[in-house]
Structures are given as C-alpha cells and as structure tokens.
Amino acid sequence: MTQSTIDLPTFTELQTAAGAAFVTELVGTFLEEAPPMLAELRSAQAAGAADAFRRAAHSLKSNSNTFGATRLGALARDLELGGLIADTAPLDALDAEYQRVAAALVELCRG
C-alpha cells in the first residue's frame, strides 16, 4: 500500500535532506492540517466560494507533493485548476486518498 500511495524516492530524499526526525514532525503537522483543508474544500464548495476552494486545493496539493503523495497531489491539483464543482464525488475521492496517504505516512515514519 505504501509504495503505491507515497512515491518512496521523494519521501526518502526529503528524509535525507531534512532529517528523519524533522520529516516526522512535518508529517505530524500535515496530518493535523489536512483534515481542516479537506473540510474547507467542502464548505467552500457548498458556499460557492471559488477563491477559498482554489486556495484550499492549492495548499493540499503543495503539501501532498512534499511527501511524495503524488496521487493526492494530482487530485487536489485537478480541483485547484478546475474550479468549483457541483458534484461532491471528487471530494469523496480526495478524502479516501487522504486516508490512504495518512496511513502510509504514519507507517513510513514508524519505519
């Protein structure tokens, strides 16, 4: 699961550059900050707030790519570039992928 969810060379490069302990701290911050970003996407979508929607998607994309969570980053990028959506299915897919990413990152940090 981890290999398909997290690009291991990207994650390993980050650990090498920043140190494993610091990356574990970064992962902890990401795991705290991502759920509110996901909630912001849903509330912005429901309110028709295009700027807030785009900003939340951009932040999630950037943070995901930092750790090598490339599929999560791509899903967020699609939302960022596509603008407001009427259907919540893409948000459901984003939430599901975040759950996989969170589990994989926790596993990698325990490693």
Side-chain angles (χ1 to χ4, degrees):
M1 175 173 106
T2 299
Q3 289 184 335
S4 63
T5 306
I6 303 295
D7 179 64
L8 291 179
T10 300
F11 188 82
T12 302
E13 183 179 323
L14 180 63
Q15 283 184 314
T16 300
F22 185 63
V23 171
T24 298
E25 287 181 40
L26 288 176
V27 166
T29 300
F30 175 70
L31 296 178
E32 289 173 14
E33 293 178 352
M37 285 181 215
L38 293 166
E40 174 65 19
L41 276 168
R42 286 191 184 276
S43 64
Q45 184 262 344
D51 285 344
F53 186 85
R54 182 187 47 77
R55 278 193 307 272
H58 175 81
S59 295
L60 189 60
K61 172 196 72 176
S62 299
N63 293 347
S64 300
N65 288 335
T66 296
F67 299 107
T70 54
R71 183 165 189 277
L72 182 62
L75 290 170
R77 181 195 66 233
D78 290 347
L79 292 172
E80 175 190 14
L81 298 177
L84 277 174
I85 53 174
D87 183 11
T88 59
L91 297 177
D92 296 339
L94 192 71
D95 284 339
E97 183 62 16
Y98 168 73
Q99 294 303 319
R100 285 188 286 277
V101 165
L105 287 172
V106 167
E107 183 181 316
L108 283 168
C109 287
R110 283 190 194 139

